[in-house]
Amino acid sequence: MSKDTIDIHVLGKSFTVACPPDQNHQLQLVAADLNRRMEQLKRRTGLGNLEQLAVMAALNLTHELLQVEQGQRREQEQMQQRINLLQTTIEQALAERLDSGPKSVEPVSEAPYTGSQG
């Protein structure tokens, strides 16, 4: 996969970044989101140093990522518990069915099927 370079803009500064051609649009969206977050941090903190703002933005993004990952882990654990419960329920139902034994069908008469003989 070949890589092109594109320019992104964060806090009024231009950065040239290597990017696969099919991901240019995605990178532009990510850069716009990063710029928005850093602008918000700059307004909230009063910091003007790009390096400090970048570190704070990275910390915030990493924190958000960890929260999402923890949420996904919890959801996976809950889903596994549900699967285990469902599996146990099915196994118990099958065991009960096997324990009760098969139902036999007895013919009403000795020759249940009669037909005309010709």
Side-chain angles (χ1 to χ4, degrees):
M1 180 182 299
S2 68
K3 290 190 179 183
D4 294 337
T5 59
I6 64 170
D7 290 330
I8 61 169
H9 303 280
V10 178
L11 292 178
K13 296 192 185 275
S14 180
F15 299 90
T16 301
V17 180
C19 180
D22 62 336
Q23 294 182 16
N24 284 352
H25 180 69
Q26 184 69 25
L27 180 58
Q28 291 290 352
L29 292 174
V30 169
D33 185 56
L34 178 62
N35 185 61
R36 178 186 58 77
R37 289 170 182 263
M38 289 183 69
E39 288 285 353
Q40 287 174 342
L41 278 172
K42 185 177 180 179
R43 281 193 304 275
R44 278 197 327 249
T45 63
L47 295 173
N49 182 316
L50 182 61
E51 186 176 291
Q52 288 177 322
L53 288 169
V55 169
M56 289 181 69
L59 288 170
N60 287 335
L61 288 167
T62 302
H63 176 72
E64 289 176 23
L65 177 62
L66 288 175
Q67 285 182 317
V68 168
E69 288 174 346
Q70 289 171 349
Q72 287 177 337
R73 267 194 299 278
R74 280 191 301 272
E75 288 176 12
Q76 287 175 343
E77 289 169 3
Q78 290 172 351
M79 185 62 65
Q80 188 60 51
Q81 288 173 352
R82 289 181 190 143
I83 289 169
N84 292 344
L85 178 61
L86 183 57
Q87 183 177 2
T88 300
T89 303
I90 291 170
E91 288 171 356
Q92 287 175 349
L94 288 173
E96 289 172 11
R97 177 119 181 172
L98 289 174
D99 287 345
S100 67
K103 305 283 187 230
S104 63
V105 178
E106 295 180 19
V108 177
S109 68
E110 290 190 24
Y113 302 108
T114 59
S116 62
Q117 294 181 357

